[in-house]
Amino acid sequence: MPVGGEAGRGKTASVSQAAVACHEAGGTAAMGSCEADVRAPYRPFIEALGQLVAAAPPELLHAHVERHGSWLLPLAPGLAPRVEHLPPAIPIDPAAARLLLFAAASDFLAALRVADAVALFLSALHGPRPAEWRAG
């Protein structure tokens, strides 16, 4: 559910309270955010997926790596120390690599959801301005 509004209205605090409530109810909650002046691609996802990888059962991580190899690694660098013998990424076209990354992330979240109730909270999402879309 998107939460929007002006800066300073308590959106992040409300989302944080929802994450705590999810955790207290026995679910798994993860939160990621970004700052307007910090340009770090996918930062909210990296933060949140990092928390989920750290909390995931080893057997779930191993099964995920069997299906997707190391494609989740750019969004979840904490996966490497949790899974032995992580296969190296195969050099491919960047657009195809991005699709494999997104598929791996989607499958990881789906696998977690089957194992447990999961809530993913992403706060203060910012994207490029229209002029920057053409620059890349």
Side-chain angles (χ1 to χ4, degrees):
M1 170 176 70
V3 177
E6 294 179 27
R9 295 288 186 178
K11 297 177 301 295
T12 300
S14 295
V15 169
S16 297
Q17 289 173 355
V20 169
C22 175
H23 181 71
E24 289 174 349
T28 300
M31 186 168 176
S33 64
C34 62
E35 299 168 27
D37 59 340
V38 177
R39 295 186 178 267
Y42 306 121
R43 178 178 167 187
F45 297 94
I46 292 168
E47 288 180 0
L49 288 173
Q51 296 164 29
L52 294 173
V53 164
E59 58 275 3
L60 186 142
L61 296 175
H62 285 89
H64 183 273
V65 168
E66 285 181 22
R67 289 188 308 278
H68 294 279
S70 60
W71 290 110
L72 187 61
L73 207 52
L75 291 179
L79 179 65
R82 300 238 19 236
V83 177
E84 290 185 35
H85 311 296
L86 193 63
I90 301 166
I92 61 171
D93 172 69
R98 193 169 35 255
L99 288 174
L100 291 170
L101 169 68
F102 295 159
S106 177
D107 182 70
F108 175 67
L109 292 171
L112 280 175
R113 184 185 56 80
V114 169
D116 193 6
V118 175
L120 179 64
F121 298 95
L122 303 173
S123 173
L125 298 178
H126 304 282
R129 293 181 291 276
E132 294 172 344
W133 295 345
R134 293 183 290 277

